[in-house]
């Protein structure tokens, strides 16, 4: 028998194809009468179309969301929201746009809805990461949890295949760390395993045929489950390494996750506390040990496999190893600087774990 604590989530989730048509009804159910629609510049057209769908319930759009939620962008969005009298925000996009929505909620209490269009999973978490200058601060704030998330598979069809696969590997990283989380519970374990199965079978299909609706639905389903895991249980070494690399060297988020994951899995694999996790991961990726399987999957998907290709300087390995081992945090295997330096060196060069 195992003792556990499970936390359920408050977010309402609607999943399917064409579900964006339900946005007016979902906004109305939350009594949102003046919705500010958010996006990045790349998705401004999509944001305009969703604003049209909302009709009279649209306050306007703000289309300058940027990666890592810079505080200066949030301040502009807040001023825009105030000038329009917005009573809620609707993020149309990936983690960058949803992060902006959370930053607005954290400062104003305005409720957020989202139409996620990547597999990053931010929409299911109370995590807010913001940057001021070169400093990134990440907090868990239950009050930023979204009220309603509408997954519309149709909106993911335009996510370019190369971005889709790294975004999917980012989602897999949430699921892998949920499998061995210190506070894992039976529900999180089931969701993480199911997420891995769905992503492993769908990502190669998306690469071959980006418009494959069945594969797109499977990937978004996996991303929802993986994001829920990220929101409900604690993460470990992998997320720490990616946070350090992103913050210190400005490396791109999803690509960094894709490169680092096989190396952290290889490091954690021998730990008794990761035994069940490794067995479940092997079930999702039969044929080889999980770390090799993940490395080969990234290669098959054409995802980056070397930190040097993402712009990390070789001289940064030592600094990263120092930062990764600085604060205490839980990991199934105790983390030491030599081991981190060794796997970062392999990850930097693109070598197998
Ligand atoms: P992103 O939101 O930055 O999107 C990448 C690019 O793809 C953007 O230009 C975007 O407009 C475009 N795009 C997104 N969906 C598209 C679509 N369907 N069609 C065409 N273009 C599309 O990328 P991301 O990986 O989703 O998010 C990364 C950010 O999210 C990082 O800042 C990361 O720290 C954060 N994040 C936060 C959490 C959390 O829980 N707080 C979780 C995961 C990621």
């Amino acid at each position: 028998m195992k003792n556990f604590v499970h936390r359920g989530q408050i977010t309402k989730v609607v999943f399917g194809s064409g579900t964006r048509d339900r946005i007016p009804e979902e906004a109305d159910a939350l009594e949102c009468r003046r919705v500010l629609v958010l996006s990045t510049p790349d998705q401004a057209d999509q944001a305009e179309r969703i604003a049209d769908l909302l009709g009279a319930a649209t306050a306007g759009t703000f289309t300058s969301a940027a990666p890592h939620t810079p505080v200066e962008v949030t301040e502009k969005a807040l001023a825009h929201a105030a000038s329009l009298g917005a009573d809620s925000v609707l993020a149309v996009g990936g983690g960058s746009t949803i992060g902006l929505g959370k930053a607005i909620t954290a400062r104003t209490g305005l409720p957020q809805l989202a139409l996620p269009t990547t597999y990053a999973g931010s929409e299911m978490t109370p995590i807010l990461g913001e940057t001021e200058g070169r400093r990134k601060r990440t907090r868990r704030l239950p009050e930023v949890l979204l009220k309603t998330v509408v997954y519309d598979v149709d909106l993911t069809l335009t996510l370019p295949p190369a971005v889709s696969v790294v975004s999917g590997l980012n989602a897999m990283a949430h699921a892998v760390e949920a499998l061995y989380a210190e506070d894992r519970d039976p529900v999180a374990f089931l969701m993480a395993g199911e997420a891995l199965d769905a992503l492993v079978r769908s990502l190669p299909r998306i690469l071959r045929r980006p418009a494959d609706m069945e594969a797109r639905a499977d990937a978004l389903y996996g991303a929802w489950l993986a994001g829920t895991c990220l929101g409900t249980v604690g993460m470990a070494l992998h997320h720490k390494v990616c946070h350090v690399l992103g913050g210190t060297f400005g490396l791109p988020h999803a690509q960094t996750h894709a490169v680092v994951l096989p190396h952290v899995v290889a490091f954690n694999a021998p730990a008794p506390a990761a035994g069940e996790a490794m067995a479940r991961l092997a079930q999702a990726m039969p044929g080889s040990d999980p770390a090799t399987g993940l490395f080969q999957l990234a290669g098959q998907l054409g995802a980056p496999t070397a930190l040097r290709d993402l712009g990390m300087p070789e001289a940064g390995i030592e600094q990263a190893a120092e930062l990764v081992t600085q604060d205490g945090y839980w990991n199934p295997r105790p983390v030491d600087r030599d081991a981190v330096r060794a796997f970062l060196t392999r990850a930097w060069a693109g070598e197998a774990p």
Side-chain angles (χ1 to χ4, degrees):
M1 195 199 100
K2 277 187 222 151
N3 295 356
F4 66 86
V5 174
H6 173 69
R7 282 183 297 273
Q9 280 213 338
I10 56 159
T11 307
K12 175 177 180 181
V13 173
V14 177
F15 190 100
S17 164
T19 41
R20 61 192 174 283
D21 291 344
R22 281 187 55 158
I23 281 287
E25 178 184 335
E26 296 300 337
D28 190 55
L30 294 169
E31 299 183 357
C32 301
R33 308 279 177 251
R34 294 193 59 75
V35 183
L36 178 63
V37 182
L38 310 172
S39 76
T40 64
D42 287 345
Q43 289 177 279
D45 290 350
Q46 215 164 26
E48 292 300 338
R49 283 196 293 276
I50 300 300
D52 287 347
L53 204 71
L54 273 163
T58 305
T61 58
F62 180 86
T63 58
S64 304
H68 304 299
T69 328
V71 169
E72 60 274 19
V73 174
T74 301
E75 279 163 4
K76 283 188 195 141
L78 284 169
H80 193 55
S83 73
L84 295 168
D87 65 4
S88 48
V89 288
L90 164 62
V92 182
S96 298
T97 306
I98 293 161
L100 172 62
K102 288 178 178 176
I104 295 172
T105 301
R107 288 164 177 79
T108 59
L110 296 186
Q112 183 181 185
L113 301 88
L115 274 163
T117 63
T118 72
Y119 308 132
S122 176
E123 65 280 359
M124 294 310 298
T125 83
I127 303 165
L128 170 61
E130 298 184 275
T131 44
E132 191 155 18
R134 283 182 57 84
R135 243 192 79 224
K136 183 160 181 177
R137 181 161 75 125
T138 300
R139 294 174 287 166
R140 272 187 183 255
L141 300 173
E143 62 271 27
V144 305
L145 270 173
L146 276 71
K147 297 285 182 241
T148 303
V149 174
V150 178
Y151 287 102
D152 188 336
V153 179
D154 305 9
L155 297 186
T156 63
L157 295 175
T158 50
L159 191 65
V163 185
S164 302
V165 298
V166 289
S167 192
L169 290 166
N170 183 190
M172 284 179 64
H174 308 328
V176 168
E177 292 231 293
L179 288 177
Y180 55 59
E182 184 180 25
D183 57 350
R184 67 185 178 278
D185 65 68
V187 178
F189 194 89
L190 285 170
M191 286 194 295
E194 177 80 354
L196 288 166
D197 291 342
L199 289 158
V200 169
R201 65 181 174 244
S202 58
L203 296 179
R205 284 177 60 178
I206 289 173
L207 187 65
R208 280 196 299 278
R209 214 164 67 82
D212 182 332
M213 271 302 274
E214 203 183 314
R216 286 288 188 182
D218 223 10
L220 195 59
Y221 167 69
W224 161 54
L225 292 170
T228 307
C229 289
L230 176 66
T232 43
V233 298
M235 296 288 114
L237 176 62
H238 171 81
H239 282 73
K240 177 69 178 180
V241 171
C242 293
H243 187 78
V244 163
L245 296 179
T248 313
F249 308 107
L251 305 192
H253 178 85
Q255 290 84 342
T256 306
H257 277 266
V259 175
V260 170
L261 186 62
H263 296 275
V264 171
V265 167
F267 174 75
N268 280 336
E276 267 182 280
M278 293 304 147
R280 184 62 185 86
L281 192 49
Q283 196 185 319
M285 317 189 63
S288 50
D289 74 273
T292 306
L294 285 165
F295 186 74
Q296 287 172 346
L297 178 68
Q300 276 161 24
L301 294 172
T305 49
L307 292 173
R308 70 171 162 202
D309 295 343
L310 304 183
M312 179 173 171
E314 188 171 11
I317 294 173
E318 191 60 49
Q319 187 190 359
E322 161 78 31
L323 290 170
V324 166
T325 45
Q326 233 168 34
D327 321 317
Y329 52 91
W330 191 85
N331 190 60
R333 184 176 170 192
V335 179
D336 73 88
R337 193 163 151 172
D338 289 346
V340 174
R341 188 194 304 108
F343 77 64
L344 281 179
T345 303
R346 285 195 292 281
W348 182 84
E351 289 167 12

